[in-house]
């Protein structure tokens, strides 16, 4: 596990985007695992800039998003479908049929999770999984619990995770769905490389526990210690517990 300290969120976003760009240039058919949330917004803006100004090409790439809310469709402004369209997919040349997201309106949600797992395998697996981290140590929506799911699954969101997402629902926590579909811990850990982005003092304890603490289902991100190729990009506030 490598922790790279960056001066601020802008530097993290530029470094993260350069990691993606380097991969796409070396392997144009790369399979990317993508996060949503506040943290990666600037990274996506930088990738869009690189596409427009430097010709960064997504035309042969494939992507799989980490998670999606249950009960809202792609047209809902709070959905991760809408987030990805706004921040990346509407602005780069990634073919829509290879930009995969879970369907939170699927009539059979378990079948939808199985379908997603198969699609990732069929695509050759994830070359690079990019992650944010919840203040409670979640990655994707693998919430702290007595046990974690290995595969893509349906999950009840903890109150703090719904609060963290209220910003995407006009600030109204009550409007944030209570459930989501999420890649599992095994799905994430099978990625060949993992890049985790963390900014701000609110992530300090989660980063400290993930990097220094024991591997425990109570801090899902601590399982990243078991992966052979993880880089964590932190600003000073998020890394403060590692000094
Ligand atoms: C998003 C996701 C979540 C977020 C995490 C941090 O797809 O899976 O794990 O990465 O909740 O969110 P922000 O970046 O908003 O602090």
């Amino acid at each position: 596990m490598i922790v790279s300290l960056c001066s601020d969120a802008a530097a993290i976003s530029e470094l993260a985007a350069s990691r993606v760009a380097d991969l796409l240039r070396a392997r144009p058919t790369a399979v990317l695992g993508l996060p949503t949330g506040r943290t990666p917004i600037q990274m996506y803006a930088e990738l869009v800039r690189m596409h427009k100004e430097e010709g960064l090409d997504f035309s042969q790439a494939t992507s799989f998003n980490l998670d999606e809310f249950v009960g809202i469709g792609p047209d809902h402004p709070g959905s991760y479908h809408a987030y990805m369209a706004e921040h990346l997919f509407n602005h780069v040349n990634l073919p829509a049929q290879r930009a995969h997201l879970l369907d939170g309106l699927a009539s059979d949600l378990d079948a939808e999770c199985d379908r997603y797992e198969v699609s990732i395998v069929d695509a050759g697996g994830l070359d690079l999984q990019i992650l944010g981290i919840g203040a409670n140590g979640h990655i994707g929506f693998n919430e702290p619990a007595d046990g974690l799911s290995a595969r893509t699954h349906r999950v009840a969101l903890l109150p703090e995770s719904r609060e963290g997402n209220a910003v995407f629902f006009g600030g109204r926590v009550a409007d944030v769905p209570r459930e989501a579909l999420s890649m599992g811990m095994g799905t994430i850990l099978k990625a060949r490389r993992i890049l985790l982005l963390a900014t701000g003092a609110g992530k300090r304890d989660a980063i400290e526990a993930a990097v220094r603490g024991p591997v425990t289902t109570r801090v899902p991100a601590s399982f990243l210690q078991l992966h052979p190729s993880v880089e964590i990009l932190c600003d000073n506030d998020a890394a403060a517990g590692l000094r």
Side-chain angles (χ1 to χ4, degrees):
M1 186 180 260
I2 295 173
V3 179
S4 301
L5 196 57
C6 301
S7 51
D8 55 19
I12 287 179
S13 304
E14 277 180 30
L15 190 54
S18 77
R19 295 282 190 263
V20 176
D22 289 348
L23 173 62
L24 284 173
R25 289 188 189 112
R27 184 173 160 81
T29 58
V31 181
L32 305 171
L34 299 177
T36 55
R38 287 154 295 186
T39 312
I41 288 175
Q42 274 184 273
M43 173 193 75
Y44 289 131
E46 175 64 6
L47 286 171
V48 169
R49 188 200 65 74
M50 289 170 128
H51 170 67
K52 295 198 163 144
E53 295 178 11
E54 298 167 14
L56 181 64
D57 183 19
F58 292 79
S59 67
Q60 298 180 67
T62 297
S63 70
F64 288 90
N65 264 82
L66 270 169
D67 38 23
E68 179 57 289
F69 294 108
V70 166
I72 59 174
D75 296 334
H76 190 294
S79 73
Y80 288 161
H81 278 79
Y83 171 108
M84 290 307 298
E86 178 186 348
H87 293 294
L88 186 67
F89 297 154
N90 285 353
H91 313 289
V92 300
N93 62 339
L94 180 65
Q97 71 274 16
R98 287 210 302 276
H100 301 271
L101 285 105
L102 285 148
D103 177 4
L105 285 183
S107 55
D108 183 340
L109 292 168
D110 291 335
E112 172 62 6
C113 293
D114 289 344
R115 180 196 69 78
Y116 209 63
E117 285 286 327
V118 170
S119 303
I120 294 171
V121 172
D122 285 351
L126 302 165
D127 289 307
L128 175 64
Q129 175 65 60
I130 304 168
L131 299 170
I133 184 170
N136 66 6
H138 75 208
I139 48 175
F141 275 133
N142 294 281
E143 298 280 34
D146 289 339
L148 299 173
S149 298
R151 289 166 62 87
T152 302
H153 60 288
R154 183 176 183 170
V155 60
L157 299 176
L158 292 178
E160 59 263 34
S161 296
R162 294 182 63 227
E163 277 160 30
N165 275 276
V167 63
F168 300 113
F169 290 82
R172 292 177 299 275
V173 182
D175 289 351
V176 180
R178 294 178 182 279
E179 288 184 298
L181 303 180
S182 175
M183 283 187 193
M185 294 300 298
T187 327
I188 293 169
L189 291 170
K190 272 186 270 181
R192 287 181 267 281
R193 271 172 63 202
I194 294 176
L195 186 64
L196 185 147
L197 320 182
T199 57
K203 303 296 170 67
R204 175 200 155 125
D205 292 349
I207 288 294
E208 184 177 2
V211 175
R212 289 256 170 85
V215 176
T216 166
T217 62
R218 288 282 151 201
V219 183
S222 66
F223 278 77
L224 297 175
Q225 294 176 34
L226 303 177
H227 191 280
S229 181
V230 175
E231 183 179 12
I232 300 183
L233 308 186
C234 282
D235 66 6
N236 286 314
D237 288 339
L242 302 179
R243 299 292 167 75

